[in-house]
Amino acid sequence: MDFKKILHEILEPLDGALGAGLIGMDGIVIDQISNQASLDMNVVGAEYSSIIKNAQKASSDFGLGMTSEILIATDKTVIIMMLVAKNYFVTLALQNESNLGRGRLELKRAIPKFEKDLS
Amino acid sequence: MAHSFLGELYVMGKNFTLAIEAYQKVLALNPDDEIAQTRLKQTIEKVTEVSPKEAQKKANAEVKKDEKKAAAKISTATVTIAELYMQQGHFEKAVEVFQELLAEDPQNLLLRQKLSEAMETHQKQRSLENSVVDKLKKDEFVRPPDLKEDKIEEILGVSNESSIKATALDDSKFTSEDILQVMQFSQSEVPLEEETKTEPAEIKKQLVEKKHLEPLTNVVQQVGSSGITLAAEPDSKKQRSMQESLAKLQSVEGIVSCVFFNPNGDFLMTTGMTIERNFFQSIFHILTNSQHAEEQLNHGLIRQVILKSEQGQIFLMKVAQYNLMVLANEKINIGRLRVVLETTLNRLASAE
């Protein structure tokens, strides 16, 4: 289960990638890579897991089914979270000027690899 | 002896089949054993006494199974069936199916939207048919050159020779294409304003009556044909601008509803479907939690949050000091939405 290798594969082709991590729905970080000291994946895990839970509830309330992806854009960064095997999510932090489309593509490519290792 | 005792135990445990076997074994060993003969006879009698009850139980179970199967057959209402009805032009049936589905899942906004679409299309179809009939009766209709007079009469169910100028006749029967032809020719003649003036309010009224749409408690004004629901009278240029922005956003295909709410989560105005307060409160929590997370990470202020789900997307964004939520289904045109959002943001910024 070399999650770090998969995380490297996500970050490698992206300019301005700040970090990536595989996190459980309970907020515990399974593996992470951070290119920026200020990006603490433990904080990411703890904070974003509750956002994902809220999103799942909202999505279900609105009759939209299961939430598969969350994107948060701020003044400085863009955070993308994608669901992996229902109980985990992979997150990618990018600088605002990074290629968001490429970032999403790399995450989508990585999901089956994570799922294979997690099953 | 052991088999005889075993037989008695089985009888006590009401396991009559095994008891009979046990007594038969006793009799196989000792055919003259009178006690075993008597016990076997009594056990067989008990079995015949119990059997009708068991048979009744089984029959009841079978009936229940059949009922379940029948219920499953009756409840065939699915979104696919409703959409098929829509495609085939059976809008009334589609409305019925959507209503049935909504009765099971009244909070499902996508179903509400589909129901609203079906009702809208159904009403349009009816008003179109009525206008065609009216025009034909008034002799205002410009008949397609290849549509036969007798066919029009049959379509209308009238035989008013003076109202329709005769062309060449033949005995062939009219088809659905002929009806469509009549409708298409007259479509351009129907004033569109007449159709759309009252419809959104009417649809909303019907939905509220059927409890598919919960009116917001703090609504003070509903703006007629624009379908915008306000929490308060627009008291500033900015609020009027927000109102216009909502109307523009609603024109993007795939948008189910747009809601402006205050930084404290209070509803300001909405278009499309009105949304229950506790629904956008949960959305408000996502925004506040996201803001908290980004503050912890020193990422600055939240600009936008997008939730992508199986059957739609929710867009949340800060617009000046307000929050805007856009609820979209799977048909949403993201490119168009972005363009409209940009103009919306610019418009609101200039109204500051």
Side-chain angles (χ1 to χ4, degrees):
Chain A
M1 281 198 266
D2 196 355
F3 296 129
K4 238 183 186 61
K5 189 185 163 204
I6 306 171
L7 292 170
H8 265 299
E9 287 170 1
I10 295 170
L11 295 177
E12 210 178 350
L14 296 168
D15 288 331
L18 301 173
L22 180 66
I23 300 163
M25 281 300 196
D26 52 6
I28 294 169
V29 178
I30 294 158
D31 224 329
Q32 57 152 316
I33 296 174
S34 182
N35 294 335
Q36 197 186 52
S38 65
L39 186 72
D40 185 348
M41 278 293 167
N42 289 312
V43 177
V44 169
E47 297 285 350
Y48 288 174
S49 59
S50 65
I51 294 172
I52 288 186
K53 279 173 195 160
N54 281 334
Q56 297 281 28
K57 189 186 175 297
S59 183
S60 161
D61 285 348
F62 283 112
L64 299 176
M66 190 101 167
T67 302
S68 55
E69 186 180 337
I70 298 172
L71 189 145
I72 301 173
T74 71
D75 287 338
K76 298 176 188 170
T77 57
V78 178
I79 311 281
I80 316 165
M81 288 168 267
M82 286 192 189
L83 211 66
V84 178
K86 288 187 181 176
N87 292 321
Y88 307 90
F89 63 94
V90 59
T91 183
L92 170 67
L94 297 168
Q95 284 175 353
N96 263 349
E97 57 270 25
S98 300
N99 187 336
L100 178 62
R102 184 70 193 267
R104 289 185 68 229
L105 181 71
E106 294 303 333
L107 278 181
K108 278 188 179 172
R109 278 182 182 159
I111 287 172
K113 295 177 196 168
F114 283 124
E115 285 178 338
K116 193 181 164 192
D117 281 352
L118 287 165
S119 61
Chain B
M1 186 67 191
H3 284 302
S4 184
F5 183 63
L6 200 58
E8 280 181 31
L9 283 175
Y10 281 137
V11 170
M12 283 164 73
K14 294 189 177 177
N15 204 337
F16 301 117
T17 316
L18 290 173
I20 289 168
E21 280 176 16
Y23 289 130
Q24 280 173 342
K25 279 177 187 169
V26 174
L27 290 171
L29 295 168
N30 184 10
D32 298 327
D33 187 336
E34 287 181 12
I35 295 170
Q37 284 173 2
T38 313
R39 293 264 192 265
L40 179 62
K41 196 182 166 189
Q42 286 170 346
T43 312
I44 290 168
E45 280 170 0
K46 278 183 182 170
V47 170
T48 50
E49 279 170 18
V50 171
S51 289
K53 284 181 187 173
E54 282 178 352
Q56 187 61 42
K57 268 188 186 175
K58 277 185 183 175
N60 288 343
E62 286 297 319
V63 168
K64 278 183 184 172
K65 268 186 188 175
D66 289 345
E67 280 172 357
K68 277 183 184 175
K69 277 182 187 173
K73 274 182 189 172
I74 292 162
S75 179
T76 51
T78 63
V79 176
T80 315
I81 284 175
E83 281 172 349
L84 278 172
Y85 278 139
M86 289 280 282
Q87 282 167 19
Q88 291 165 3
H90 303 304
F91 302 113
E92 204 171 346
K93 284 183 179 176
V95 168
E96 280 171 18
V97 174
F98 281 132
Q99 282 172 344
E100 199 178 322
L101 289 169
L102 263 173
E104 287 168 15
D105 185 9
Q107 310 287 15
N108 192 324
L109 285 180
L110 281 176
L111 281 176
R112 290 184 192 187
Q113 193 213 9
K114 283 176 194 278
L115 173 63
S116 164
E117 281 171 8
M119 288 171 89
E120 202 175 335
T121 320
H122 180 47
Q123 281 193 354
K124 273 185 185 169
Q125 188 197 33
R126 282 182 64 182
S127 69
L128 197 55
E129 284 168 1
N130 289 340
S131 73
V132 172
V133 172
D134 287 347
K135 279 173 185 296
L136 283 164
K137 280 180 180 170
K138 289 175 191 167
D139 203 12
E140 290 171 359
F141 171 65
V142 182
R143 180 156 37 122
D146 53 343
L147 188 68
K148 309 295 185 294
E149 183 186 343
D150 57 337
K151 287 182 182 177
I152 293 171
E153 284 177 5
E154 279 188 76
I155 291 166
L156 290 171
V158 295
S159 181
N160 186 356
E161 284 177 21
S162 64
S163 68
I164 303 159
K165 291 176 183 98
T167 54
L169 300 173
D170 68 22
D171 295 330
S172 61
K173 288 196 171 177
F174 71 89
T175 65
S176 56
E177 280 176 13
D178 295 326
I179 299 172
L180 278 173
Q181 217 175 358
V182 172
M183 288 168 74
Q184 280 161 5
F185 259 77
S186 64
Q187 198 156 19
S188 56
E189 309 254 326
V190 179
L192 284 172
E193 277 180 20
E194 256 178 43
E195 280 180 57
T196 52
K197 253 181 195 170
T198 54
E199 271 181 14
E202 184 58 30
I203 290 165
K204 194 167 274 184
K205 194 181 149 200
Q206 286 182 33
L207 284 166
V208 172
E209 276 168 6
K210 289 175 193 300
K211 294 188 177 175
H212 290 154
L213 189 63
E214 296 292 334
L216 288 155
T217 49
N218 56 344
V219 169
V220 296
Q221 189 192 1
Q222 298 203 348
V223 184
S225 59
S226 66
I228 293 174
T229 308
L230 303 173
E233 295 276 353
D235 57 356
S236 66
K237 187 186 168 191
K238 191 172 182 181
Q239 286 200 348
R240 278 191 292 277
S241 182
M242 285 163 74
Q243 208 176 318
E244 285 167 20
S245 304
L246 284 188
K248 239 190 160 93
L249 275 169
Q250 194 60 33
S251 69
V252 178
E253 193 198 356
I255 287 186
V256 178
S257 190
C258 305
V259 184
F260 267 118
F261 52 99
N262 267 334
N264 59 5
D266 283 340
F267 157 79
L268 277 175
M269 62 177 77
T270 179
T271 186
M273 297 295 181
T274 50
I275 292 169
E276 282 175 65
R277 187 187 168 84
N278 60 335
F279 274 19
F280 63 81
Q281 281 285 340
S282 67
I283 289 293
F284 172 68
H285 287 310
I286 294 173
L287 266 183
T288 49
N289 286 349
S290 304
Q291 188 58 62
H292 183 258
E294 299 311 328
E295 276 168 14
Q296 295 284 311
L297 294 162
N298 196 24
H299 285 167
L301 289 171
I302 294 273
R303 294 280 171 218
Q304 200 176 48
V305 178
I306 301 174
L307 313 178
K308 191 172 181 293
S309 300
E310 289 168 320
Q311 288 158 37
Q313 301 189 28
I314 300 171
F315 301 84
L316 302 165
M317 57 217 82
K318 291 266 178 190
V319 181
Q321 76 264 41
Y322 303 111
N323 299 309
L324 172 65
M325 185 196 84
V326 177
L327 178 66
N329 65 19
E330 68 273 26
K331 289 179 192 163
I332 184 72
N333 179 340
I334 300 287
R336 176 89 198 279
L337 177 65
R338 285 182 74 169
V339 172
V340 176
L341 275 175
E342 266 174 37
T343 54
T344 303
L345 294 173
N346 290 339
R347 187 194 297 260
L348 286 168
S350 64
E352 278 281 315

